[in-house]
Amino acid sequence: MTVRVQCEDFDVGVEIAQLRVGNSKIGAVASFVGIVRDINEGTTVGSITLEHYPGMTEKSLAAIAEQARARWSLSGVLIVHRIGTLEPTDQIVLVVTTSSHRGDAFSACQFVMDYLKTDAPFWKKEVTAKGERWVDARDSDSNAKERWK
Amino acid sequence: MKLRMLYFASLRERVGVSEEMLDVPGSIVSVAQLRRWLAERGTGWAEAFAERTVRAAVDQTMVNDDHALIDGAEVAFFPPVTGG
């Protein structure tokens, strides 16, 4: 299980290869990559800046990965989240889960993202033509988490 | 009781402080009481803590309003999270 918070971009291929190395029992790899969009709530977004709570962020991501491991049969879980200033089309988050079979890998990957959205202390601020604005949390994210209960 | 306080995102901007050490009266024993006490520090504080959605974490774990505070705790207040 690996959790990283970083400014730098990530290479999905390299990350998956590292998670698989030396483990011939892995039969499935599921991954999710979140990308910065150029439009949010109908307004064009120039860039976003991500703030986080150092210490708690890593702790909460590790706890989410641990919950996924307790719930499904997984070989590995990787969570990489970027911070700092990002632009549209930039990668922002990566979740990779590996397992013997696809069902566990798929479900765990979705579970990790749903929990990350409501539990991990990150905040996005957007820069638009009208100035800066903090992104509001969405009810749909809370609902997405509820389905796992 | 001494507390290490942290404020994040829009709430940090409203109160104008990101981090501070606070010595709070002994009568304040829960997160809810701390919220009310902080809201009385001035206009920005009252506005920031009037938001019902403000979340709290104690020692880096999200907690509810009835959570008990202990001396030396790290307490953070912030808006709902928007990562991913």
Side-chain angles (χ1 to χ4, degrees):
Chain A
M1 192 184 77
T2 308
V3 163
R4 292 200 326 258
V5 178
Q6 62 187 44
C7 292
E8 314 85 67
D9 196 11
F10 50 80
D11 182 321
V12 180
V14 170
E15 299 292 350
I16 290 176
Q18 279 173 359
L19 204 58
R20 290 181 52 201
V21 72
N23 191 338
S24 55
K25 290 191 174 62
I26 293 172
V29 178
S31 66
F32 173 85
V33 180
I35 316 246
V36 181
R37 285 190 313 272
D38 67 356
I39 196 155
N40 188 27
E41 313 266 331
T43 306
T44 304
V45 175
S47 67
I48 64 163
T49 302
L50 273 135
E51 177 173 330
H52 80 122
Y53 180 173
M56 180 174 166
T57 310
E58 292 81 358
K59 224 165 126 175
S60 69
L61 294 178
I64 294 166
E66 209 45 67
Q67 283 181 69
R69 288 189 73 121
R71 205 160 163 158
W72 291 280
S73 175
L74 303 172
S75 314
V77 180
L78 168 70
I79 307 174
V80 182
H81 203 299
R82 295 179 69 192
I83 50 167
T85 300
L86 301 173
E87 291 177 358
T89 75
D90 281 350
Q91 305 187 112
I92 175 166
V93 61
L94 170 67
V95 175
V96 183
T97 52
T98 60
S99 181
S100 300
H101 303 287
R102 71 181 184 285
D104 285 14
F106 271 136
S107 298
C109 189
Q110 205 159 15
F111 171 93
V112 168
M113 266 316 295
D114 287 347
Y115 271 68
L116 183 153
K117 279 278 184 183
T118 57
D119 290 9
F122 291 99
W123 300 274
K124 287 192 192 108
K125 191 180 212 180
E126 296 173 338
V127 178
T128 71
K130 289 180 190 157
E132 295 183 344
R133 64 177 187 191
W134 288 98
V135 174
D136 285 329
R138 292 168 193 270
D139 288 340
S140 58
D141 288 333
S142 302
N143 297 340
K145 181 184 161 186
E146 287 304 311
R147 68 185 151 146
W148 300 104
K149 288 188 172 163
Chain B
M1 178 168 61
K2 288 196 167 55
L3 299 172
R4 178 173 184 238
M5 301 298 307
L6 297 167
Y7 311 97
F8 291 96
S10 53
L11 187 132
R12 167 178 57 73
E13 289 183 348
R14 275 196 172 147
V15 303
V17 183
S18 59
E19 192 176 338
E20 63 180 339
M21 290 303 295
L22 269 189
D23 204 345
V24 303
S27 57
I28 292 165
V29 296
S30 73
V31 168
Q33 287 168 331
L34 178 61
R35 256 180 217 263
R36 286 197 286 273
W37 188 77
L38 289 169
E40 286 167 13
R41 293 174 97 190
T43 315
W45 295 85
E47 280 172 17
F49 285 91
E51 295 271 350
R52 295 182 66 86
T53 53
V54 170
R55 306 285 157 88
V58 172
D59 292 328
Q60 306 189 348
T61 301
M62 287 228 218
V63 296
N64 291 323
D65 259 8
D66 57 1
H67 189 88
L69 296 169
I70 55 160
D71 189 49
E74 177 177 303
V75 183
F77 284 106
F78 44 78
V81 303
T82 55

